[in-house]
Amino acid sequence: MSLTLTAMSDSAVTSGQRSGSREAQGHAQGPYVSVITNRTTNLLIRGAMLFSVGVFLALVLNLLQVQRNVTLFPPDVLSSIFSSAWWVPPCCGTASAMIGLLYPCIDRRLGEPHKFKREWSSVMRCVAVFVGINHASAKVDFANNIQLSLTLAALSIGLWWTFDRSRSGFALGVSIGLLATLATQLLVYNGVFQYTSPDFLYIRSWLPCIFFAGVITMGNIGRQLALYEYKFLQEKSHQD
């Protein structure tokens, strides 16, 4: 009889330990799965927001270029509302989303979190300066293209120094700016659109400066959105 009771108690303890371990595993996996789900959702939300900002800026800035006859599209591809080819806003929106998501990812990989001027007012000023640089390239008359290019280069570097100052940001801005310039060269070469007064092969010599400033701007927006996601996850982990 005593042996039977001992066996029953041992089996009860064993089953209790198994159920306890299962509950512990469930509690351990639950927050992990929740965090992954939240990160995926936040990533999609940030990508959609960056895409929308890129589309809006593309419509506004390309309108300036077309109105001043800096860029010329074939008449049959222009939209009567936005004065832009249909493919320009989606391409700019996609590029903006990729850049805005890439910047905070590179910061995490390098272990160098960007903490310089991390507030929305600074991001809005950065956007305003970028729009001003693009506006200057379209409407301000300079004596020659070299003077215009040097001025825009100084303004673009000044934008990076004022709102970024990170080595990774500068390197990404230069790299992506050069790739975007090469892609534009190919588009112009294939007759998709053209510039009225090209002075650097098929394009304008100041175009890399505009791309550089745009990359820095979208990188700042992406970093600011990622900062809010990081704070949200930290608060949620403390609550759990």
Side-chain angles (χ1 to χ4, degrees):
M1 184 68 178
S2 59
L3 293 175
T4 304
L5 291 175
T6 303
M8 291 176 62
S9 62
D10 291 341
S11 62
V13 171
T14 304
S15 60
Q17 290 177 348
R18 289 178 180 174
S19 61
S21 61
R22 289 174 183 172
E23 291 178 359
Q25 289 177 358
H27 287 302
Q29 292 177 356
Y32 176 77
V33 174
S34 177
V35 168
I36 293 299
T37 304
N38 288 332
R39 283 180 178 174
T40 303
T41 304
N42 290 330
L43 188 68
L44 294 175
I45 293 174
R46 283 194 287 133
M49 295 177 68
L50 289 165
F51 179 85
S52 301
V53 172
V55 168
F56 175 75
L57 289 177
L59 291 174
V60 173
L61 300 180
N62 194 65
L63 180 62
L64 291 174
Q65 302 285 344
V66 172
Q67 285 183 343
R68 292 286 293 181
N69 291 324
V70 177
T71 55
L72 298 176
F73 290 92
D76 55 338
V77 303
L78 287 180
S79 169
S80 59
I81 299 178
F82 301 114
S83 297
S84 175
W86 66 268
W87 51 267
V88 172
C91 289
C92 292
T94 303
S96 299
M98 294 176 63
I99 293 168
L101 295 175
L102 181 62
Y103 261 68
C105 180
I106 295 297
D107 291 338
R108 285 194 299 268
R109 293 292 182 182
L110 295 177
E112 299 176 356
H114 189 262
K115 299 180 180 179
F116 182 70
K117 292 188 176 182
R118 293 290 84 206
E119 61 273 347
W120 277 113
S121 59
S122 176
V123 174
M124 292 299 102
R125 288 195 297 269
C126 182
V127 173
V129 173
F130 169 60
V131 174
I133 292 174
N134 199 292
H135 184 77
S137 69
K139 291 198 172 184
V140 177
D141 295 325
F142 285 82
N144 52 61
N145 287 327
I146 296 178
Q147 184 179 358
L148 174 60
S149 300
L150 292 176
T151 302
L152 293 181
L155 291 174
S156 300
I157 295 175
L159 181 142
W160 166 79
W161 180 256
T162 304
F163 300 103
D164 192 316
R165 295 192 185 182
S166 65
R167 292 172 296 178
S168 59
F170 185 85
L172 283 174
V174 172
S175 302
I176 298 175
L178 292 177
L179 290 176
T181 302
L182 178 60
T184 305
Q185 291 270 17
L186 295 175
L187 290 175
V188 175
Y189 178 77
N190 289 304
V192 178
F193 68 98
Q194 61 180 348
Y195 286 89
T196 51
S197 301
D199 60 324
F200 179 64
L201 297 180
Y202 301 101
I203 62 173
R204 302 293 293 269
S205 57
W206 44 258
L207 193 60
C209 304
I210 299 296
F211 285 139
F212 175 83
V215 171
I216 298 300
T217 302
M218 295 311 303
N220 272 339
I221 297 175
R223 280 168 166 166
Q224 190 66 24
L225 292 173
L227 180 63
Y228 272 81
E229 176 189 350
Y230 175 73
K231 289 181 178 179
F232 171 78
L233 291 176
Q234 269 194 332
E235 292 176 359
K236 187 172 181 60
S237 63
H238 288 319
Q239 291 175 359
D240 294 338

